[in-house]
Amino acid sequence: GDSVTQMEGPVTLSEEAFLTINCTYTATGYPSLFWYVQYPGEGLQLLLKATKADDKGSNKGFEATYRKETTSFHLEKGSVQVSDSAVYFCALSEDTGFQKLVFGTGTRLLVSP
Amino acid sequence: EAQVTQNPRYLITVTGKKLTVTCSQNMNHEYMSWYRQDPGLGLRQIYYSMNVEVTDKGDVPEGYKVSRKEKRNFPLILESPSPNQTSLYFCASTPKRTGVGETQYFGPGTRLLVL
C-alpha cells in the first residue's frame, strides 16, 4: 500500500538557519503530494502541495519539489523563524476517486531565538 | 468564516460509555473524513464520506461508527469506548473533486481520554 516516510524529529535550529525536512513516498500510481503544518494546539493546515512530477510548491518561504525519480518531496526553507516552530506532516493522495490522505509520522521543528 | 468545527475539544470518559464527537463544515463540501493522530503513527483515516448517506471505512474503523444525514455534519460515534481509543481526533472536509490534489480542511481537533 501507499506510505510516506519522514525524518524523525525533533529538528532543533536557531533562528535564520536553513531547514530541510526529508520526505519520501511509496505509491502505486501518480499521487499528489502535500505538506501540512500543525501549530501547537491547532488543527492541520495546508502549507503547500504539488500535483505532478517536477512541480514546485511554495508558501510562506517554504518550498518542496515533486521528484518522481527519487520519490521524494523534501521541505526546505532558507531562513527559519521562531514562529515556524510546529509539527510538519508530509502526505500523499492518490487519484482514486475520493480524498484520502496518507500521512507520514510528522516532524517536530523547534526554532530558538 | 469558512471553517470546520468539532465539539467537544476535550473529553474524558470511562470505558463503555457511549459518546459522540460532532463535526460540522460550512463550505458545502461533499467529502468529509475522520482521522486519529497518535504519537509515532501520524494521522490515520477512520471513516470517510463522499456525500450524504454515503460512508465507508478507512484504515482503522474498528470501534467507530459514523453517519452523514446532512451534508454539513459528520459525527463520529464511539458506542463502547476503550482505552486504546484515547487519541487526538480530526475531522476534515474537501470539495468535490475537480481534479487531483484537492486540499483538505481540518477541524481544530478533539482530544479524547478513555479511562
Side-chain angles (χ1 to χ4, degrees):
Chain A
D2 296 348
S3 66
V4 175
T5 302
Q6 285 181 241
M7 58 190 292
E8 286 197 25
V11 174
T12 304
L13 295 173
S14 297
E15 206 164 24
E16 299 183 1
F18 184 86
L19 169 71
T20 299
I21 300 178
N22 290 336
C23 171
T24 57
Y25 67 90
T26 302
T28 52
Y30 299 94
S32 296
L33 301 174
F34 304 81
W35 278 100
Y36 279 83
V37 59
Q38 183 180 31
Y39 297 104
E42 298 183 12
L44 281 74
Q45 54 186 274
L46 179 70
L47 180 59
L48 53 84
K49 67 180 181 182
T51 58
K52 61 183 188 297
D54 299 325
D55 269 2
K56 177 186 283 188
S58 62
N59 185 26
K60 300 182 181 179
F62 291 89
E63 294 182 340
T65 301
Y66 189 141
R67 301 287 188 200
K68 188 166 178 287
E69 64 276 11
T70 55
T71 61
S72 65
F73 194 54
H74 304 320
L75 183 68
E76 296 182 336
K77 187 175 185 183
S79 177
V80 295
Q81 305 299 312
V82 173
S83 57
D84 293 327
S85 297
V87 180
Y88 293 81
F89 290 92
C90 186
L92 67 82
S93 72
E94 293 265 30
D95 184 16
T96 53
F98 63 89
Q99 288 296 307
K100 173 186 172 180
L101 284 170
V102 176
F103 285 90
T105 54
T107 302
R108 183 176 298 278
L109 170 64
L110 300 171
V111 181
S112 56
Chain B
E1 179 190 355
Q3 59 183 347
V4 179
T5 56
Q6 295 179 227
N7 283 292
R9 294 289 312 277
Y10 304 91
L11 180 59
I12 301 174
T13 190
V14 295
T15 299
K17 186 176 181 181
K18 181 180 178 179
L19 67 92
T20 299
V21 183
T22 64
C23 172
S24 183
Q25 51 94 4
N26 62 2
M27 296 171 280
N28 202 36
H29 288 171
E30 282 75 13
Y31 295 94
M32 298 185 75
S33 298
W34 275 103
Y35 295 85
R36 60 177 289 174
Q37 181 181 6
D38 300 291
L41 296 175
L43 281 80
R44 295 175 293 168
Q45 191 182 55
I46 303 170
Y47 268 94
Y48 65 93
S49 170
M50 297 174 69
N51 214 324
V52 175
E53 302 292 2
V54 182
T55 63
D56 208 346
K57 296 176 181 178
D59 295 321
V60 288
E62 293 76 22
Y64 304 95
K65 284 176 57 177
V66 293
S67 69
R68 188 93 181 272
K69 292 182 168 40
E70 304 166 281
K71 196 172 186 180
R72 62 184 291 126
N73 297 323
F74 190 44
L76 179 69
I77 303 157
L78 284 72
E79 294 269 0
S80 183
S82 62
N84 64 13
Q85 293 178 297
T86 292
S87 187
L88 179 57
Y89 292 86
F90 289 101
C91 181
S93 72
T94 314
K96 186 176 182 179
R97 277 183 69 242
T98 55
V100 299
E102 293 289 349
T103 300
Q104 291 205 14
Y105 296 84
F106 285 82
T110 295
R111 188 168 293 280
L112 172 66
L113 172 61
V114 183
L115 300 173

